[in-house]
Amino acid sequence: MQKLSIQGGVPLTGAIRVAGAKNAALPILAASLLVPEPVHITNVPRLNDVRTMVKLLGLMGVKTEAGEHDVRLDAASIGEPFAPYELVKTMRASILALGPLTARFGEARVSLPGGCAIGERPVDLHIKGLTAMGAEITIEQGNIHAKAGRLKGARIFMDTVTVTGTENLMMAATLADGETILENAAREPEVVDLARCLVAMGARISGHGTDVIRVQGVERLHGVTHSVMPDRIEAGTFLAAAAATRGAVTLEEAPVDALDAVIEKLREAGAAIAVGERTLRITMKGRPRAVSVRTAPHPGFPTDMQAQFIALNCVAEGAAHVTETIFENRFMHVQELRRLGAHIEVEGNTAIIHGVDRLAGAAVMATDLRASASLVIAGLVAEGETVIDRIYHLDRGYERIEERLGALGARIKRLD
Ligand code: UD1
């Protein structure tokens, strides 16, 4: 199993281009199921999760051709509208096939994702929404089985803000008969990027980016070329790494409008951040100050940046409270960070971090994608060598991390 070795203590300096957003690419790839014509998606990050989604679509009979950073898909006809457990268990986002398949083919079987490392993560709201649109849904042998004639527009209120739930229902509604109103919809930039892609396919959507999305169903959608937005979580991770190592880094092709909460908190930590049209320049002089954060749906502070900010706080001046409100078991990085010398207590859904002067390298284990990003940040700061095991978690969300951080001066290498 591959590991990552980091010799810490080098401030990150230089420029880095932000990759396409994983969490926008996945629903956009799934949206190809809605269209009987070729679709070309560009600025696609080269990540394991993207490969899994392309594989899943291919298994269903979608013609797929993946280039370095683009994917061509043609779902003119499909074979089996089925997402098997072997793939769903490696990637929960497979659930994104449910809405498009039901809407276009009147049938879908998607294996139930079940629990995962960061919590229960039910999909009840996806199911409720499709049921409200007229689908008949049963759970058989661990599979969600949806059957429908043409879906009907409906008013759907989601009592929890769900990103993939909003995406699934928005996709399904594009081909439904009549108007669908999604209330308490997710406002995440990735939902907006998906909506932009669907609109370019001929869908009639308004209100994306607000908490009420209206979709007027159409008879059919057409092919499109769409460029995926840059990844705000990858960008935020690089910013946090630059701040923790007291570096100076320019992010190119940065999603400057999607990072308000993160930029605000980094400034509070003492970083200078210059925002250009498509660039972000961060300079951190001296030791960061501790910053407390509380995760919330967008435009609040993203849960996917929580672990990285715990890592930053580990070496900050003062104490910080980091509260996780979205997922119930998302502090697995804490015990690994302690192995590097961090002082962290956990009380319920809050981590209390007392900044220390120095961390020291050690062997640690990645437990999930963003947890592994926090270990990389801590490793970049720690004195001596940090070896991170199970970096397949990291490879799900960060493209060639060792090469790209290496270009910023980090002493980092992959061990086989
Ligand atoms: C997406 C992101 C993930 C991010 C998360 C929150 C993708 C592929 N993944 O995950 O990186 O951490 O948003 O920003 O885009 N919930 C229910 N019932 C449902 C669905 C969700 O109760 O039917 C709850 C979940 O348990 C969780 C909360 O809603 O507590 C938010 O989850 P959700 O937004 O659905 O997360 P994902 O879409 O899976």
Side-chain angles (χ1 to χ4, degrees):
M1 211 170 282
Q2 290 191 328
K3 298 178 184 180
L4 209 55
S5 155
I6 306 174
Q7 293 280 349
V10 184
L12 296 183
T13 53
I16 188 166
R17 185 182 180 282
V18 179
K22 170 177 89 77
N23 286 353
L26 296 176
I28 287 168
L29 291 168
S32 68
L33 287 166
L34 292 163
V35 196
E37 293 176 13
V39 166
H40 185 201
I41 311 300
T42 60
N43 201 33
V44 178
R46 284 192 82 169
L47 300 171
N48 288 349
D49 276 11
V50 166
R51 277 187 276 273
T52 304
M53 181 60 88
V54 171
K55 187 170 167 193
L56 176 66
L57 295 169
L59 272 183
M60 291 176 184
V62 178
K63 290 198 191 99
T64 63
E65 195 188 315
E68 184 139 13
H69 284 115
D70 71 325
V71 185
R72 291 175 191 276
L73 307 117
D74 188 345
S77 63
I78 67 155
E80 191 56 2
F82 179 42
Y85 185 59
E86 291 67 53
L87 290 184
V88 178
K89 76 173 183 214
T90 63
M91 187 185 67
R92 288 180 45 87
S94 310
I95 189 76
L96 287 162
L98 184 66
L101 286 174
T102 312
R104 177 150 164 242
F105 301 100
E107 179 158 26
R109 269 192 308 140
V110 176
S111 177
L112 266 178
C116 74
I118 64 172
E120 239 356 90
R121 299 180 87 175
V123 289
D124 55 314
L125 297 169
H126 304 235
I127 293 175
K128 268 191 198 153
L130 284 173
T131 306
M133 295 169 87
E136 215 173 89
I137 299 196
T138 49
I139 311 279
E140 293 159 8
Q141 297 167 326
N143 294 319
I144 306 167
H145 190 177
K147 272 195 141 167
R150 186 172 181 198
L151 292 174
K152 290 176 198 57
R155 178 179 160 268
I156 298 167
F157 172 77
M158 290 164 284
D159 61 6
T160 304
V161 177
T162 160
V163 177
T164 48
T166 301
E167 291 165 345
N168 233 338
L169 299 177
M170 182 167 71
M171 288 191 279
T174 58
L175 292 178
D177 183 17
E179 187 181 45
T180 298
I181 304 174
L182 301 175
E183 294 186 351
N184 201 26
R187 290 180 280 172
E188 267 65 5
E190 294 78 13
V191 174
V192 177
D193 200 28
L194 170 64
R196 280 181 31 238
C197 176
L198 294 168
V199 167
M201 289 170 169
R204 293 175 58 196
I205 303 175
S206 62
H208 38 294
T210 77
D211 60 359
V212 181
I213 299 177
R214 286 172 190 269
V215 186
Q216 201 74 45
V218 296
E219 292 278 337
R220 61 181 268 147
L221 299 173
H222 54 74
V224 75
T225 297
H226 179 84
S227 173
V228 173
M229 69 174 285
D231 197 312
R232 66 191 166 103
I233 304 302
E234 187 187 80
T237 302
F238 292 145
L239 291 175
T245 60
R246 308 183 191 186
V249 170
T250 301
L251 302 188
E252 292 161 355
E253 299 300 325
V256 292
D257 298 329
L259 279 161
D260 290 348
V262 170
I263 290 174
E264 172 78 25
K265 285 294 168 185
L266 286 168
R267 284 185 174 144
E268 205 180 308
I273 299 183
V275 182
E277 209 168 300
R278 293 163 84 166
T279 56
L280 286 173
R281 167 101 184 139
I282 180 167
T283 312
M284 185 80 196
K285 293 202 175 109
R287 189 172 174 189
R289 288 190 292 272
V291 277
S292 292
V293 302
R294 186 181 178 85
T295 65
H298 194 77
F301 187 88
T303 173
D304 286 350
M305 283 299 301
Q306 176 258 100
Q308 299 88 318
F309 265 65
I310 289 190
L312 175 64
N313 277 313
C314 286
V315 288
E317 175 94 58
H321 284 58
V322 173
T323 304
E324 172 59 55
T325 74
I326 311 285
F327 294 114
E328 69 271 22
N329 185 23
R330 211 176 191 182
F331 282 138
M332 270 128 21
H333 37 289
V334 165
Q335 58 182 9
E336 299 302 308
L337 290 168
R338 283 187 189 132
R339 295 174 58 77
L340 301 173
H343 285 189
I344 311 173
E345 300 143 39
V346 175
E347 281 177 17
N349 65 347
T350 298
I352 303 150
I353 308 111
H354 302 273
V356 293
D357 286 335
R358 55 182 288 276
L359 295 175
V364 291
M365 190 176 73
T367 50
D368 64 70
L369 168 55
R370 304 307 167 186
S372 56
S374 76
L375 298 178
V376 171
I377 293 173
L380 290 170
V381 179
E383 289 168 19
E385 186 186 26
T386 296
V387 176
I388 308 175
D389 199 354
R390 302 201 180 169
I391 55 159
Y392 57 85
H393 288 295
L394 193 66
D395 293 334
R396 292 185 57 186
Y398 298 89
E399 201 179 309
R400 295 176 294 111
I401 191 80
E402 68 280 15
E403 278 174 42
R404 295 163 77 216
L405 287 177
L408 297 179
R411 290 176 296 189
I412 179 169
K413 63 179 184 223
R414 193 174 284 258
L415 311 172
D416 281 317

